[in-house]
Amino acid sequence: MVTINSTIISGAGAIPAIRPLLNGKAHILLVTDGNISRLEAAKQIRTLLEEDNRSITIVDNVPPEPSHHDVSQVLGGLTSCKFELIVGIGGGSVLDVAKLLSVLCHPQSPGLDTLLAGTKPAARISSLLIPATAGTGSEATPNAILAIPEQNTKVGIISPVLLPDYVALLPELTTSMPAHIASSTGIDALCHLIECFTSTVANPVSDNAALTGLSKLLNNIETACAEPGNLLAKLEMLWASYYGGVAIAHAGTHLIHALSYPLGGKYHLPHGVANAILLAPCMRVVRPHAVTKFAQVWDLVPGADTTLSDEDKSHALVTYFAALVRRLNLPDNLETLGVPREDIGSLSEAALNVKRLMNNAPCQPDRDEVQAIYRTLFPQH
């Protein structure tokens, strides 16, 4: 269990509430990416940061699905690491890099290679994380995920030290998200919530966060994607994503994410897209081992028939997940994304090696069963 002590600012029009957090911070590192830095809301935040003649160093070239090489390059490009505050504005990749830099720029930093080898950080610089997508929940997790291209996978650097001092959930930052990004990141949040809810290490704290997040997400994801200017739906999705992060901090994801990691590590598929493709097939395998919990989630689906038996509710939820991915116009097979069918064997080996996640699954599929899941992600000839 992880204690989350972040101070949270949230709501439409809440950008000025960041100002008091900046008191006494003369040197700030802003971590973002080129697309986010052009948003009007991001420009407003930057203006706040630049008040009172503060010194602002900007890193705005964080790539999607960053590797350890990318983080080393960013760190090597900094002329100084003497910051009083690290601010991350962006999707999960940006926030993960900002979290890592808050540790790597600290005088007691053990160094990136040492962190990757499993050493836990002891301290970090003060941090403010502002998600610009509603998906990863990185602002609420003790995790930073990096691709390791040499191994065709990803690894997680995990420590409560990575959790930020401050979080700002600002829906204005998410209104210009393209529909496919809003959809895929929203499904990523859904995967966090349903996996943590059904994890072997689920507990009352993670269950409460997961159910709260699922209620917000299931009632708002389609509106938030279809109506990008709907600030209420966008804010509810930011909270759903945040609760997904809280659930991860207190429990953990499992089957979807284990099978997703090799797709991101080797083929650089966007994380949310890989998860969306895997959502229904993996939950179909998990369903017999989590019937009661699936039934609880079904009861949160808008318009759901709550008179069904738990068994029927659990089947209905899997069907709903598959239909939701289709309605959001997300890909439903890997062949169209350039993944060759003959790689199923190597993908399965890599997924089974993500033991940190596989161990959380309420079922323990073997190599043949994992291959069978991957096979469903290709057109059935």
Side-chain angles (χ1 to χ4, degrees):
M1 298 274 286
V2 173
T3 301
I4 300 175
N5 291 318
S6 304
T7 297
I8 304 174
I9 293 168
S10 78
I15 290 175
I18 293 171
R19 186 175 281 114
L21 309 182
L22 307 177
N23 291 337
K25 308 291 195 291
H27 299 85
I28 296 176
L29 174 63
L30 173 60
V31 185
T32 185
D33 65 41
N35 291 325
I36 299 301
S37 61
R38 288 190 287 270
L39 300 180
E40 186 56 38
K43 291 177 181 176
Q44 292 176 32
I45 296 168
R46 179 173 169 179
T47 298
L48 275 182
L49 299 180
E50 291 173 340
E51 289 178 353
D52 301 325
N53 295 314
R54 292 187 190 91
S55 168
I56 309 295
T57 300
I58 299 174
V59 171
D60 62 1
N61 59 346
V62 176
E65 316 294 330
S67 71
H68 61 113
H69 300 300
D70 295 318
V71 175
S72 294
Q73 187 173 359
V74 168
L75 196 60
L78 297 175
T79 56
S80 168
C81 266
K82 295 181 178 178
F83 306 109
E84 285 100 28
L85 180 68
I86 310 287
V87 179
I89 308 175
S93 295
V94 167
L95 299 189
D96 280 6
V97 170
K99 288 196 286 190
L100 286 172
L101 290 174
S102 73
V103 168
L104 295 170
C105 287
H106 193 278
Q108 296 177 28
S109 167
L112 181 58
D113 289 342
T114 306
L115 289 176
L116 288 168
T119 296
K120 301 297 183 185
R124 61 162 170 76
I125 295 167
S126 183
S127 59
L128 162 62
L129 299 184
I130 309 174
T133 62
T136 69
S138 177
E139 69 279 2
T141 75
N143 307 353
I145 309 299
L146 292 178
I148 309 295
E150 298 83 356
Q151 299 173 19
N152 293 326
T153 191
K154 296 180 177 183
V155 298
I157 297 170
I158 303 169
S159 167
V161 171
L162 292 172
L163 286 162
D165 297 278
Y166 312 108
V167 171
L169 304 179
L170 310 170
E172 295 91 339
L173 271 171
T174 69
T175 56
S176 62
M177 258 195 302
H180 71 281
I181 301 294
S183 299
S184 63
T185 54
I187 292 294
D188 186 23
L190 173 54
C191 292
H192 295 160
L193 292 159
I194 190 67
E195 285 181 281
C196 289
F197 190 51
T198 55
S199 167
T200 56
V201 290
N203 55 76
V205 175
S206 64
D207 282 359
N208 185 51
L211 287 172
T212 302
L214 283 162
S215 178
K216 291 180 178 296
L217 188 143
L218 296 173
N219 281 284
N220 289 281
I221 184 169
E222 293 187 76
T223 301
C225 293
E227 302 174 20
N230 189 322
L231 292 179
L232 179 58
K234 291 289 190 180
L235 180 60
E236 288 291 275
M237 284 300 296
L238 282 169
W239 274 111
S241 176
Y242 179 84
Y243 277 113
V246 173
I248 290 172
H250 291 94
T253 58
H254 50 79
L255 198 57
I256 297 170
H257 276 70
L259 272 67
S260 171
Y261 273 17
L263 294 173
K266 184 171 184 179
Y267 299 103
H268 310 293
L269 295 191
H271 182 61
V273 170
N275 284 354
I277 292 172
L278 286 158
L279 172 59
C282 286
M283 289 301 100
R284 195 168 288 114
V285 171
V286 168
R287 187 206 63 78
H289 308 273
V291 169
T292 301
K293 285 199 163 183
F294 271 38
Q296 284 180 266
V297 177
W298 171 251
D299 287 345
L300 300 176
V301 173
D305 181 355
T306 57
T307 65
L308 299 174
S309 68
D310 281 4
E311 182 74 13
D312 287 345
K313 286 178 180 179
S314 69
H315 284 289
L317 184 67
V318 175
T319 301
Y320 168 81
F321 285 155
L324 177 62
V325 169
R326 286 194 299 273
R327 286 199 302 274
L328 293 175
N329 296 312
L330 290 166
D332 61 1
N333 78 79
L334 291 176
E335 193 168 74
T336 58
L337 297 172
V339 179
R341 190 185 297 260
E342 53 267 28
D343 279 9
I344 287 175
S346 61
L347 285 170
S348 301
E349 290 294 339
L352 287 165
N353 281 330
V354 189
K355 299 190 189 306
R356 174 177 67 86
L357 302 183
M358 278 294 192
N359 291 341
N360 291 340
C363 53
Q364 292 296 311
D366 59 22
R367 189 173 186 273
D368 289 342
E369 290 167 316
V370 171
Q371 286 193 5
I373 294 173
Y374 277 125
R375 274 196 294 274
T376 67
L377 310 183
F378 292 89
Q380 305 305 303
H381 299 309

